[in-house]
Amino acid sequence: MARGEGAEQFSATLLPHVKPVSQDGIKIAKKREQRSNHLSLCSKLCYAVGGAPYQITGSALGFFLQIYLLDVAQPNELHIVSNVSFSLSLKLEPFYASIILFVGRAWDAVTDPTVGFLVSRSRWTRFGRMMPWILISTPLAVLSYILIWVVPSVDQLSKLMWYLIFYCVFQSLQTCFHVPYSALTMFISPEQKERDSATAFRMTIEVLSIVVGTAIQGLIVGNAIPPCVGGNLNLTNGLNATIFNSSQESSLDKTKQAYLIASGVISGVYVLCAIVLFLGVREQEGHEHVKVNRPLSFCEGLHLVLGYKPYVKLVMGFLFTSLAFMLLEGNFNLFCIYVLGFRDHFANILMVIMLSGTLSIPFWHWFLTRFGKKTAVYFGITWAVPFLILIVLITSNLVASYLIAIAAGISVAAAFLLPWSMLPDVVDDFKVQNPDSHGHEAIFYSFYVFFTKFASGVSLGISTLSLEFAGYVSNACVQPDKVHLTLKILVSLAPVVLIGLGLLIFKTYPISEERRQGNRKILQNLR
């Protein structure tokens, strides 16, 4: 027997019989893969809850930090300076408040791409690649958040450094939570449909979280607001002056304590949400996950992201629209108090806006599924324009203000949902165009957060400086006419112009529904 012939017979007996795969078998395999990629309702809810800490703390800081720095962050001592006026010694001037707000947000923006770069180079652990960042940052972020709402008994310069340091530290630690959490969208399921559904759940919870954060801060702090200072006080009598000073000091102490209590409650919610996220969501390593010989440097990652035109157009479009809503958010408190005259109704009006937005999220999810995401952008963002104009035309009409708040909340919902729903489409499009490039999801998400936060810092800095130049008076019952005009511009004219610029940029956004569906099919075939 020839050697070759025997070897052929022997190997043939060991080889298993391979059955041809039928079309039915392929369909069954696809169905099994779809079931494995399907997210349960519990998983979607737990994932959505993870977005609450960022929005709860963000709403408290966005709506209350400016007025806290202007009217509350001051020592207890009060000194009479004339028969009819007084000043709070060593109070935090608007200029210093603007430095804290701008530098804090600018620093926060810088940390986003840095953390995104570090996350993209992180190793996979048994908890995943994103979860360790979330777990480690949570307790430190909570501690620094509480310290922001502490009023130290120091001079003005030292107080400036206190708030600047702890505000920057908190923003950095929150970035270590939020950037990995945002990128987690790409790792909970490879299916676009499941990610879009989870994003809708997330946006619903996040908008509701703004309601919760505003309610906690507003209800606790609202019951301890110090009385405003009018211009007709008679302080000629020394006894009257002493009584007035004591009353103001006691009221200010209660307000400081209320802010601290609110920060403790919000911190507890922060920790609880982080635990739910960790226990309820399983991070998937990804079907396309591969090991690369050399990870990208920071400059290479920056060039990768900023060189991709669909991503740049998406970010720039939402940069202007987000800046519009940030200007509204940062000045809405002062606008309600001094322009509309609703000092006692601010928290209620804000909660009406956010509740309306929360109830509108399912509608916008259906709308973008039915008519496409670009169409949803045009309708959803433009919807806010007439109500931004009406809010400054209707003065001191409480019923009309509540109706406008309900209508405006519908647009707020679209502004929250659409950016995070469209960002995964850009990442998928990049994967299709660059099939050999992997593991850059965190970089895309971090740079988007970078631009939005930088815009937020710019808006807060400009707002506070504008109010100072207009002659804003801390704790005053009535502000000068220039302050009224400035607030109207900041909550109406400027946002309308910015929304228009953002929508013009969206006209050039190239990822249509046809292209998005084509990318989905290509990625399914690659998997």
Side-chain angles (χ1 to χ4, degrees), residues 340-359:
L340 299 182
F342 301 145
R343 178 178 290 269
D344 298 329
H345 293 275
F346 159 70
N348 295 333
I349 293 175
L350 185 59
M351 281 190 285
V352 168
I353 293 175
M354 295 309 167
L355 284 173
S356 174
T358 303
L359 298 176

Side-chain angles (χ1 to χ4, degrees), residues 61-82:
L61 292 170
F63 287 111
F64 291 91
L65 183 59
Q66 179 172 270
I67 197 169
Y68 168 80
L69 293 175
L70 292 175
D71 292 348
V72 181
Q74 49 199 359
N76 294 335
E77 295 83 4
L78 296 157
H79 299 282
I80 303 300
V81 297
S82 70

Side-chain angles (χ1 to χ4, degrees), residues 308-325:
Y308 195 60
K309 291 183 179 179
Y311 176 78
V312 173
K313 292 178 179 179
L314 178 74
V315 170
M316 292 304 295
F318 279 119
L319 178 65
F320 285 101
T321 58
S322 298
L323 182 56
F325 286 98

Side-chain angles (χ1 to χ4, degrees), residues 185 191-201 365 368-369 373 417 420-422 424-425 516:
T185 308
E191 296 293 335
Q192 283 187 2
K193 183 179 179 181
E194 294 298 319
R195 294 201 302 257
D196 286 346
S197 177
T199 300
F201 275 86
H365 179 63
L368 66 86
T369 304
K373 297 181 180 180
L417 173 64
W420 297 109
S421 178
M422 297 173 73
D425 300 336
R516 189 173 72 90

Side-chain angles (χ1 to χ4, degrees), residues 287-521:
H287 295 277
E288 68 280 352
H289 179 76
V290 295
K291 293 183 179 180
V292 294
N293 295 327
R294 185 183 68 85
L296 291 178
S297 66
F298 181 83
C299 292
E300 289 173 332
L302 178 64
H303 181 267
L304 176 78
V305 169
L306 298 184
Y308 195 60
K309 291 183 179 179
Y311 176 78
V312 173
K313 292 178 179 179
L314 178 74
V315 170
M316 292 304 295
F318 279 119
L319 178 65
F320 285 101
T321 58
S322 298
L323 182 56
F325 286 98
M326 288 172 187
L327 281 173
L328 179 64
E329 176 190 57
N331 297 280
F332 191 69
N333 191 338
L334 297 174
F335 180 80
C336 282
I337 292 174
Y338 294 114
V339 178
L340 299 182
F342 301 145
R343 178 178 290 269
D344 298 329
H345 293 275
F346 159 70
N348 295 333
I349 293 175
L350 185 59
M351 281 190 285
V352 168
I353 293 175
M354 295 309 167
L355 284 173
S356 174
T358 303
L359 298 176
S360 302
I361 290 285
F363 165 76
W364 286 117
H365 179 63
W366 168 84
F367 190 95
L368 66 86
T369 304
R370 177 67 178 82
F371 299 102
K373 297 181 180 180
K374 286 188 69 173
T375 305
V377 169
Y378 297 137
F379 276 89
I381 304 299
T382 307
W383 178 265
V385 172
F387 303 103
L388 290 175
I389 298 173
L390 282 175
I391 194 67
V392 298
L393 296 179
I394 301 175
T395 57
S396 300
N397 190 322
L398 186 60
V399 176
S401 298
Y402 274 107
L403 293 176
I404 291 174
I406 294 173
I410 299 174
S411 187
V412 171
F416 269 88
L417 173 64
L418 292 169
W420 297 109
S421 178
M422 297 173 73
L423 195 55
D425 300 336
V426 174
V427 178
D428 284 343
D429 191 77
F430 176 83
K431 289 180 180 180
V432 172
Q433 303 297 326
N434 303 272
D436 296 328
S437 185
H438 303 277
H440 309 315
E441 293 85 359
I443 297 178
F444 278 96
Y445 276 83
S446 63
F447 271 97
Y448 172 73
V449 178
F450 162 78
F451 286 113
T452 55
K453 286 184 177 179
F454 186 79
S456 176
V458 171
S459 69
L460 286 173
I462 292 176
S463 299
T464 310
L465 285 176
S466 299
L467 291 173
E468 181 182 17
F469 293 144
Y472 178 83
V473 182
S474 298
N475 284 322
C477 294
V478 180
Q479 296 290 344
D481 292 338
K482 289 184 178 179
V483 173
H484 289 195
L485 178 61
T486 301
L487 288 171
K488 289 180 180 180
I489 293 174
L490 291 174
V491 303
S492 179
L493 179 60
V496 169
V497 173
L498 291 169
I499 287 174
L501 292 174
L503 293 179
L504 287 176
I505 295 175
F506 274 118
K507 292 287 291 184
T508 64
Y509 179 65
I511 300 180
S512 61
E513 282 302 300
E514 293 77 12
R515 181 168 171 176
R516 189 173 72 90
Q517 294 299 331
N519 289 340
R520 182 179 64 85
K521 293 179 181 179

Side-chain angles (χ1 to χ4, degrees), residues 65-273:
L65 183 59
Q66 179 172 270
I67 197 169
Y68 168 80
L69 293 175
L70 292 175
D71 292 348
V72 181
Q74 49 199 359
N76 294 335
E77 295 83 4
L78 296 157
H79 299 282
I80 303 300
V81 297
S82 70
N83 289 339
V84 294
S85 63
F86 74 94
S87 68
L88 295 168
S89 68
L90 300 179
K91 69 179 180 180
L92 199 63
E93 297 292 342
F95 176 72
Y96 290 100
S98 66
I99 291 177
I100 295 170
L101 295 172
F102 175 74
V103 174
R105 288 301 181 98
W107 171 257
D108 183 27
V110 171
T111 60
D112 283 299
T114 304
V115 171
F117 170 72
L118 295 175
V119 170
S120 67
R121 299 183 62 148
S122 300
R123 295 182 179 180
W124 182 269
T125 69
R126 66 190 185 97
F127 299 113
R129 192 150 57 105
M130 310 297 166
M131 285 297 183
W133 286 84
I134 295 172
L135 288 176
I136 295 173
S137 65
T138 295
L140 299 175
V142 164
L143 177 61
S144 59
Y145 178 78
I146 293 176
L147 291 175
I148 292 175
W149 304 102
V150 173
V151 181
S153 298
V154 294
D155 60 81
Q156 188 170 215
L157 183 59
S158 299
K159 188 174 295 184
L160 168 67
M161 297 306 299
W162 172 280
Y163 290 116
L164 191 58
I165 289 173
F166 286 111
Y167 188 40
C168 290
V169 169
F170 170 72
Q171 298 286 16
S172 300
L173 292 168
Q174 192 185 49
T175 297
C176 294
F177 182 105
H178 187 60
V179 168
Y181 171 75
S182 300
L184 188 63
T185 308
M186 303 300 299
F187 297 96
I188 55 176
S189 175
E191 296 293 335
Q192 283 187 2
K193 183 179 179 181
E194 294 298 319
R195 294 201 302 257
D196 286 346
S197 177
T199 300
F201 275 86
R202 171 189 167 187
M203 291 301 106
T204 303
I205 295 297
E206 288 197 4
V207 175
L208 186 60
S209 300
I210 296 178
V211 179
V212 173
T214 305
I216 293 174
Q217 194 84 4
L219 293 176
I220 296 177
V221 174
N223 293 326
I225 296 177
C228 61
V229 180
N232 56 350
L233 296 173
N234 183 12
L235 300 178
T236 56
N237 183 282
L239 179 61
N240 290 339
T242 302
I243 295 174
F244 177 77
N245 283 341
S246 300
S247 176
Q248 285 288 104
E249 182 176 339
S250 175
S251 178
L252 189 59
D253 285 338
K254 291 180 180 179
T255 304
K256 293 175 182 178
Q257 186 178 10
Y259 272 101
L260 196 57
I261 293 173
S263 69
V265 175
I266 289 176
S267 296
V269 177
Y270 192 117
V271 173
L272 180 62
C273 292

